[in-house]
Amino acid sequence: MDRIQMVDLKSQYLKLKDDIDNEIQKVLESTAFINGPQVKEFASALNNFQGSQCTITCGNGTDALQIAMMALDFKPGKEVIVPAFTYVATVEVIALLHLKPIFIDVDPDTFNLDMDQLEGKITKDTAGIVPVHLYGQCADMESIMKIAGSHNISVIEDSAQALGSVFAFADGNTFKAGTMGHIGTTSFFPSKNLGCYGDGGAIFTNDAELGEKIRMIANHGQKMKYYHDVVGVNSRLDTLQAAVLKAKLRYLDEYAIARNKVATYYDEKFKGIEGVLVPHRSKKSTHVFHQYTVKVENGQRDALSSYLLSKGIPTMIYYPLPLHLQKAYRGFGFKEGDFPIAERLCNEVISLPIHTEITAEMSKYIADSVIDFFD
Ligand SMILES: *Cc1c(COP(=O)(O)O)cnc(C)c1O
């Protein structure tokens, strides 16, 4: 058996090698490293995949969030509601734009925004809500959009971990992650479900006017070269990355199926283990299993992690410390005990290897090792 990894980008590349090498070679020959035709081609293919009106590519998923907040004109001092349990990027751009993060606790089962707490956090200063579709499953977008709509607040969906996931509204209509909010963002960091070979990101909106503004902000605030209408940033998906993504996008649904197969297998194997809670499946959203994250009760999480490591199985903790307790964000005035679920999850969650290249032999070895630990 090959070495088990959290992600196996090498084996994944080898399967698509001819395709990808060919796409990269074309870019090298053309030397159109910035804004080459592949950037538009990929954006258009992704736009189709998403069923979105506008797709604007950019430099990375963090930039995507910042550009979204700039395009929605979130003014300094305004409040943005974000989950306390997520990756730092969301709160980072809030702080950079001199906005105020208003953390909210997450649902202990779905790891997404706790709907019971959302409306109570809205004030006259609230500019927006940023739901994060954590680990690959959509937050309750129907409720979020309803609440946001009734208060006239913008919603930016952070879909960095959930590209390809599908959410169903009560009326039966379905939408891809990133296309339900006023703006959606995603990341093509190599380990994401659709990863490039460097940094990359994209922004989605169904509002054509907003789309134009996003495009302008991502490009130095200009529509015409050297004429700058608004203050912007320089955030581009480079042509080589677009070429790689163009080749890989064709496999994104297949990748989600492969990840789900492993997840279903783990679910079955772990069903009977006391003290291990497998990921909750939302009835409204499909799951693309960016991570397969279980909760380990009774303070056993770190011991399980060490045990698995001793058997050659890597694991990761996403995330070990909630945002409101991070040193950089202490200044916003939150303290220990403010978000008990987020704090508890940081001690209980552990993500097991799940990726597109895991063999049946590997997943069996991983699952059996987890079972062995609890025996
Ligand atoms: C990866 C990630 C980002 C940031 O993406 P980068 O491309 O690394 O900037 C933002 N939010 C979430 C939830 C992520 O997982």
Side-chain angles (χ1 to χ4, degrees):
M1 188 168 65
D2 286 340
R3 186 168 65 92
I4 297 174
Q5 305 171 73
M6 284 303 285
V7 284
D8 184 356
L9 298 176
K10 180 76 185 282
S11 307
Q12 195 191 52
Y13 162 63
L14 290 177
K15 281 188 190 159
L16 310 181
K17 188 175 184 324
D18 288 348
D19 240 12
I20 287 183
D21 288 3
N22 190 24
E23 291 287 347
I24 288 178
Q25 193 60 38
K26 271 196 262 178
V27 180
L28 296 180
E29 296 291 340
S30 77
T31 70
F33 297 120
I34 298 292
N35 286 331
Q38 289 85 351
V39 178
K40 253 200 189 125
E41 287 162 18
F42 167 65
S44 160
L46 182 60
N47 199 53
N48 281 341
F49 175 88
Q50 287 287 76
S52 173
Q53 287 295 316
C54 314
T55 296
I56 300 103
T57 54
C58 65
N60 57 66
T62 309
D63 279 3
L65 286 163
Q66 179 176 341
I67 294 164
M69 289 180 202
M70 290 169 77
L72 290 166
D73 220 2
F74 288 5
K75 294 267 192 292
K78 292 284 187 184
E79 299 176 350
V80 182
I81 298 174
V82 287
F85 185 67
T86 177
Y87 183 59
V88 70
T90 329
V91 63
E92 191 170 50
V93 304
I94 291 171
L96 281 172
L97 294 174
H98 302 287
L99 297 154
K100 189 170 177 229
I102 302 295
F103 293 114
I104 154 170
D105 217 341
V106 294
D107 181 289
D109 296 323
T110 63
F111 310 112
N112 284 325
L113 277 183
D114 181 354
M115 281 307 124
D116 292 338
Q117 298 185 28
L118 181 57
E119 198 151 24
K121 299 276 179 164
I122 295 174
T123 72
K124 62 174 184 11
D125 287 323
T126 309
I129 306 168
V130 186
V132 180
H133 305 317
L134 206 68
Y135 304 146
Q137 186 168 244
C138 291
D140 183 355
M141 286 307 294
E142 182 153 25
S143 304
I144 293 168
M145 293 313 289
K146 209 175 279 167
I147 292 169
S150 70
H151 294 271
N152 212 6
I153 292 166
S154 303
V155 175
I156 302 170
E157 284 176 82
D158 184 342
S159 320
Q161 301 189 3
L163 198 64
S165 162
V166 178
F167 183 86
F169 281 72
D171 64 7
N173 285 323
T174 58
F175 296 88
K176 290 270 175 69
T179 66
M180 294 168 276
H182 299 90
I183 298 183
T185 64
T186 200
S187 161
F188 306 121
F189 186 81
S191 63
K192 297 282 154 89
N193 286 34
L194 179 62
C196 58
Y197 294 169
D199 275 309
I203 307 168
F204 312 104
T205 182
N206 293 317
D207 177 335
E209 205 172 312
L210 194 54
E212 272 312 299
K213 203 165 163 199
I214 292 166
R215 209 177 293 282
M216 217 158 86
I217 291 171
N219 183 26
H220 295 295
Q222 65 189 357
K223 231 184 261 175
M224 210 197 312
K225 212 166 164 75
Y226 307 122
Y227 293 86
H228 308 275
D229 298 347
V230 294
V231 176
V233 296
N234 172 23
S235 186
R236 295 185 280 242
L237 181 71
D238 69 66
T239 315
L240 280 167
Q241 301 309 333
V244 169
L245 289 165
K246 216 181 85 181
K248 286 184 71 177
L249 177 60
R250 298 180 207 123
Y251 300 91
L252 185 55
D253 282 334
E254 227 171 87
Y255 288 162
I257 291 169
R259 289 169 177 276
N260 267 278
K261 220 169 118 186
V262 180
T264 306
Y265 176 75
Y266 284 159
D267 279 357
E268 275 301 310
K269 296 281 279 189
F270 300 156
K271 230 171 21 196
I273 310 180
E274 187 130 7
V276 171
L277 297 165
V278 300
H280 174 85
R281 310 293 191 98
S282 159
K283 285 189 187 71
K284 299 176 181 175
S285 172
T286 65
H287 206 317
V288 293
F289 284 101
H290 174 61
Q291 298 299 339
Y292 183 90
T293 304
V294 300
K295 288 183 287 187
V296 181
E297 295 176 321
N298 312 317
Q300 299 243 68
R301 193 263 315 264
D302 293 343
L304 171 64
S305 165
S306 306
Y307 177 76
L308 292 177
L309 194 61
S310 76
K311 311 264 295 180
I313 301 167
T315 56
M316 288 292 282
I317 310 300
Y318 302 110
Y319 297 90
L321 188 65
L323 294 179
H324 67 288
L325 300 180
Q326 297 283 351
K327 194 169 158 199
Y329 301 104
R330 284 276 188 159
F332 288 107
F334 298 96
K335 57 181 189 316
E336 202 152 346
D338 282 349
F339 306 102
I341 306 295
E343 290 168 26
R344 199 183 82 211
L345 289 176
C346 288
N347 294 318
E348 289 187 350
V349 293
I350 182 167
S351 300
L352 301 176
I354 190 164
H355 55 74
T356 55
E357 313 304 317
I358 286 187
T359 61
E361 186 189 10
M362 283 177 187
S363 52
K364 181 170 191 314
Y365 176 73
I366 294 166
D368 287 342
S369 301
V370 171
I371 291 165
D372 282 349
F373 173 80
F374 287 98
D375 259 355

